[in-house]
Amino acid sequence: MVVNRLRVGFSLLLLCLLVLSGCSTPRAESSEKPVVKIGMVAPLTGPVSAAGRDFENGVKLAVREANDDTTFPFFVQLTEEDDQNDPLQSVTAVQKLINQNGVSAIIGSLTSDVSIPAHRTACEYGVPIISPTSTNPNVTKDKGKHLPCSFLATFTDDFQGRVAAVFAYRNLKLKRVGVMYDQGSDYSTGLAENFVKQFNSLGGQTYVVTYTGYDNDFSAYLTKVFQQNVEALFLPDLYNRVNLIVNQAKMLGFDGLFLGGDAWDSDGLNRELLSGSYYVGHNASDDPALATFVQKWRSAYKTEPPGVGIGAYDAALVVLNAIKESKSTDASTLMNYIQKTRDLPVVEGKLNMGDDGAATLPAYILKVTPQGPRFAQKLEP
Amino acid sequence: MQQVINALMLGSMYALIALGYTMIYGIIRFINFAHGDVFMVGAYIVFNVVTIFKFGFWGALLCAVLGTMLLGVVIERVAYKPLRNAPKISLLITAIGVSLFLENFVALPVVMGSMPKVVPSFIPISIYSLGNVKFSSAQVIILVTAVALMIFLGWFIRSTKLGRAMRAVSSDYAAVPLMGINVDNIISMAFAIGSALAGVGGLLYVIVYPEVDPFMGIMLGTKAFIAAVVGGIGNIYGAVAGAYLIAFLEVAMVAAGYSMWRDAAAFGLLIIVLLIKPSGLFGKFEKEKV
């Protein structure tokens, strides 16, 4: 018992050194609880480190709240590993978290390309892993089957495409939509195909043109689509290519609407040019329902909550909820409880874990304005 | 009909860059692979003067032309001149090196960074329609500028003293100094003019495609290069013809619904032309001089 207490004390010390947070939480109280170790893999350095830091802040906020909660059955010890947004490093990071730190669950990583190998590796050890931001449906799948320990705390690209179609048909009352997508990109293709399927089944008409990632001149494609008298263009591609397409569309005299997916959610989007367009996003900090969370984030970090931060907070909630419900630190028990997540209140609404390991939760429609994205509508799944 | 306008725009863009390749090749028989990157630097100059100093069209044009001209001459003096009597392959590899250097130098975080950047609009754009064909003032500017420059270049090479000197260097590199012409200056001038055209290309490009990134010159440079080769490299009329030919072919492929074959068709044309007429459509056959 004495040894055990010593170990807990030592872990706490380590935690303070590693996490630099939660140090002020009452030590006496937490030391009476058993410890659960969870890991985090995110790009804390490298080209997307800004998003990696938002990720870290979101996870830490959720962990801190759990540790402040006297009814939470464990003291949560968080270990962070950096993957620099590199698929190879994410594998090493996951192995290190499992083999050296002995974590019971992992939250990570940021982008789908990095999450795919990270999730495969964690699954080899049977440790549950959940990504807050990767939307590629292949993250949780291997040869078309769901990897039982791999989860997404967000909806997938396929879902986004369907949401955009429903919004375009029902809310914007569009009937004829042009769809242009990059055939070389999984993301672009996934959104476009699901949009087309959904929009057509609702009774609308779509006109599809594909291009390749090397193209900068889209006038020929656009002319072809505009011959069909479309009312709007669905452009599920990265913001930089969307900027180019939209500029050329305007030069061709097109004055219809533009619609897109979450890849538009960047300061790189030319918001002057795209003002009035809509895209599917994961959250909106100006949604009135998010006010309490925004307040919480502001008091912790003195900034507005970034989208990645909210997602990471949600993912941590899913893991912490499984720990709370199961009162267990066993990886496979946690895996079962994460799979069974039902109506968990997260920031955006209620989260349910689907059979494919991807969550269903409300999607947001954001409107582009020159000042930034504005909350337009929340669509329940 | 709309597609014809699209093809004319794209062709003008290719032609401006192709002229630079073909001029430099015509004079020193060497393919300047860094040319696409000079174009990229031109576009970045426009981006900077437009965002920082809020310059309009003419200011941006002046800065882009002067900047790329200077860059072209510096590249020639620093990287190519010391190798003028070295085997051509060394020169070619140096050109690839210069190209990679420019791309990665601009991509450095302290210079411009590797993220694509949006160029704010700096000329008022209005859209006209003629029947069911729509075109914008930007397209008119591009077409007029490109055609005017091509005509000017044609006149310059044909009718001025300097142009004649350039043609002389092109036809007999060794004999020209005997006629009292400074070969170094003529070569520098070819680089200056070629690079200035790339600079104008960069300006016109960001009007229609208002975005810059450090690797934007690669694909456009490659397309312009094959346009120059298809037309007969070394011949300026050939380069222009090749540029419009490639552009019309690409747009036609998309218009016909074979959008995924766009690039394959452009490069396929190059292969066919090289097989049937290796010197290009307008190129003249040259005997290997011994």
Side-chain angles (χ1 to χ4, degrees):
Chain A
M1 203 57 202
V2 177
V3 177
N4 219 350
R5 286 216 175 172
L6 264 176
R7 195 189 283 163
V8 172
F10 183 66
S11 311
L12 196 68
L13 199 78
L14 247 173
L15 178 78
C16 288
L17 284 173
L18 279 170
V19 189
L20 295 169
S21 77
C23 289
S24 57
T25 51
R27 193 169 290 207
E29 179 196 83
S30 57
S31 62
E32 279 159 17
K33 289 182 185 175
V35 166
V36 60
K37 293 177 182 172
I38 62 174
M40 180 190 113
V41 183
L44 300 172
T45 63
V48 291
S49 61
R53 290 290 160 195
D54 294 341
F55 188 120
E56 181 190 23
N57 285 340
V59 173
K60 273 188 188 170
L61 186 62
V63 167
R64 196 179 310 164
E65 282 172 10
N67 285 338
D68 286 345
D69 178 3
T70 47
T71 62
F72 197 80
F74 294 97
F75 179 79
V76 184
Q77 183 186 319
L78 179 71
T79 311
E80 297 172 20
E81 282 294 330
D82 180 17
D83 63 29
Q84 298 186 355
N85 204 36
D86 174 2
L88 291 175
Q89 294 211 39
S90 76
V91 170
T92 325
V94 166
Q95 283 169 340
K96 196 172 158 199
L97 284 171
I98 295 171
N99 294 331
Q100 288 185 17
N101 303 87
V103 298
S104 307
I106 299 171
I107 300 160
S109 180
L110 186 75
T111 59
S112 297
D113 293 347
V114 180
S115 288
I116 289 173
H119 282 228
R120 296 274 184 288
T121 310
C123 286
E124 283 168 21
Y125 296 93
V127 173
I129 181 164
I130 182 163
S131 168
T133 45
S134 303
T135 53
N136 186 332
N138 290 325
V139 172
T140 61
K141 285 186 192 132
D142 188 25
K143 301 188 189 83
K145 273 171 53 188
H146 173 214
L147 282 166
C149 64
S150 164
F151 301 98
L152 303 177
T154 180
F155 47 74
T156 59
D157 295 342
D158 297 355
F159 181 75
Q160 273 191 64
R162 293 197 292 271
V163 166
V166 169
F167 178 73
Y169 191 83
R170 296 231 173 99
N171 300 70
L172 298 174
K173 310 264 182 250
L174 297 171
K175 296 284 177 285
R176 301 164 74 83
V177 176
V179 177
M180 278 175 65
Y181 70 94
D182 179 356
Q183 214 179 34
S185 145
D186 280 350
Y187 172 80
S188 197
T189 312
L191 260 78
E193 285 176 352
N194 283 281
F195 180 92
V196 169
K197 221 186 286 169
Q198 184 77 35
F199 198 75
N200 291 348
S201 74
L202 287 168
Q205 280 178 295
T206 46
Y207 301 93
V208 182
V209 173
T210 57
Y211 51 85
T212 63
Y214 298 114
D215 287 327
N216 274 340
D217 183 83
F218 297 96
S219 50
Y221 304 105
L222 288 164
T223 301
K224 211 168 154 50
V225 176
F226 295 159
Q227 280 165 357
Q228 308 290 340
N229 288 320
V230 296
E231 301 160 288
L233 267 186
F234 180 56
L235 303 170
D237 207 342
L238 290 173
Y239 60 89
N240 54 331
R241 210 162 298 136
V242 170
N243 289 341
L244 287 177
I245 297 175
V246 171
N247 193 60
Q248 291 170 46
K250 298 224 160 158
M251 287 210 174
L252 288 166
F254 181 68
D255 52 5
L257 269 177
F258 299 96
L259 307 168
D262 63 349
W264 285 26
D265 201 9
S266 161
D267 285 337
L269 190 77
N270 191 340
R271 290 185 174 130
E272 298 272 335
L273 189 70
L274 276 126
S275 186
S277 309
Y278 294 96
Y279 65 92
V280 183
H282 296 273
N283 41 51
S285 58
D286 58 342
D287 172 10
L290 260 64
T292 46
F293 180 79
V294 171
Q295 212 51 50
K296 206 151 66 179
W297 186 281
R298 272 198 206 131
S299 66
Y301 300 114
K302 315 271 176 283
T303 60
E304 292 299 305
V308 173
I310 300 176
Y313 180 84
D314 287 348
L317 283 190
V318 173
V319 172
L320 294 170
N321 178 63
I323 294 170
K324 192 176 176 180
E325 294 289 317
S326 65
K327 300 190 175 54
S328 166
T329 61
D330 175 52
S332 64
T333 311
L334 289 180
M335 186 172 94
N336 291 332
Y337 272 81
I338 293 176
Q339 182 64 63
K340 281 192 278 188
T341 307
R342 288 290 170 272
D343 291 334
L344 174 70
V346 293
V347 180
E348 296 92 339
K350 292 215 165 36
L351 181 147
N352 286 288
M353 192 52 74
D355 293 337
D356 57 351
T360 53
L361 70 168
Y364 279 75
I365 302 291
L366 297 153
K367 186 174 189 167
V368 183
T369 72
Q371 290 78 37
R374 290 288 173 267
F375 170 65
Q377 191 128 17
K378 184 145 92 172
L379 293 180
E380 299 294 333
Chain B
M1 187 56 205
Q2 185 75 56
Q3 297 287 25
V4 173
I5 296 186
N6 295 337
L8 279 176
M9 299 319 316
L10 189 63
S12 307
M13 217 58 242
Y14 289 163
L16 280 177
I17 315 297
L19 281 172
Y21 275 110
T22 215
M23 263 187 73
I24 289 164
Y25 184 86
I27 301 220
I28 52 171
R29 294 284 177 273
F30 143 72
I31 295 153
N32 182 17
F33 274 116
H35 194 64
D37 301 294
V38 173
F39 153 80
M40 176 271 294
V41 172
Y44 265 97
I45 292 173
V46 174
F47 166 75
N48 281 316
V49 299
V50 165
T51 45
I52 300 170
F53 304 113
K54 309 266 179 266
F55 280 9
F57 179 80
W58 296 108
L61 177 70
L62 191 71
C63 292
V65 165
L66 290 179
T68 48
M69 227 178 209
L70 190 71
L71 179 71
V73 173
V74 168
I75 291 174
E76 196 272 324
R77 286 281 151 117
V78 173
Y80 303 151
K81 195 180 167 200
L83 294 170
R84 195 161 296 156
N85 296 317
K88 283 285 185 272
I89 190 81
S90 315
L91 210 54
L92 210 64
I93 290 166
T94 310
I96 295 172
V98 171
S99 164
L100 289 173
F101 169 77
L102 286 178
E103 284 158 18
N104 290 291
F105 178 76
V106 172
L108 283 177
V110 289
V111 185
M112 296 307 305
S114 58
M115 293 294 284
K117 288 192 164 58
V118 173
V119 182
S121 60
F122 54 97
I123 55 163
I125 290 171
S126 39
I127 290 157
Y128 311 99
S129 46
L130 211 85
N132 56 358
V133 179
K134 288 178 175 145
F135 57 96
S136 67
S137 50
Q139 290 175 316
V140 178
I141 292 176
I142 291 169
L143 203 61
V144 169
T145 316
V147 171
L149 279 173
M150 289 172 220
I151 294 172
F152 170 77
L153 195 70
W155 168 81
F156 180 83
I157 303 244
R158 214 173 37 244
S159 317
T160 63
K161 212 170 172 186
L162 280 169
R164 204 175 306 142
M166 284 169 85
R167 280 184 291 144
V169 174
S170 169
S171 72
D172 196 335
Y173 177 81
V176 164
L178 304 173
M179 305 290 126
I181 296 172
N182 186 334
V183 176
D184 284 344
N185 285 351
I186 296 298
I187 291 176
S188 289
M189 207 179 62
F191 270 88
I193 294 175
S195 303
L197 289 172
V200 177
L203 171 81
L204 298 182
Y205 182 90
V206 297
I207 294 175
V208 199
Y209 317 102
E211 194 164 72
V212 286
D213 85 89
F215 306 99
M216 64 195 274
I218 299 175
M219 199 59 186
L220 193 72
T222 314
K223 290 275 178 66
F225 170 63
I226 63 168
V229 175
V230 163
I233 195 157
N235 180 320
I236 65 164
Y237 304 106
V240 173
Y244 284 109
L245 187 64
I246 297 262
F248 271 94
L249 182 68
E250 283 189 24
V251 170
M253 290 311 280
V254 175
Y258 298 102
S259 58
M260 302 317 288
W261 287 86
R262 180 183 183 154
D263 290 345
F267 291 102
L269 177 73
L270 172 70
I271 295 172
I272 292 167
V273 167
L274 287 181
L275 284 174
I276 296 170
K277 200 166 182 301
S279 52
L281 295 177
F282 292 80
K284 52 180 187 296
F285 178 72
E286 280 182 38
K287 271 187 289 188
E288 195 68 30
K289 286 179 197 140
V290 186

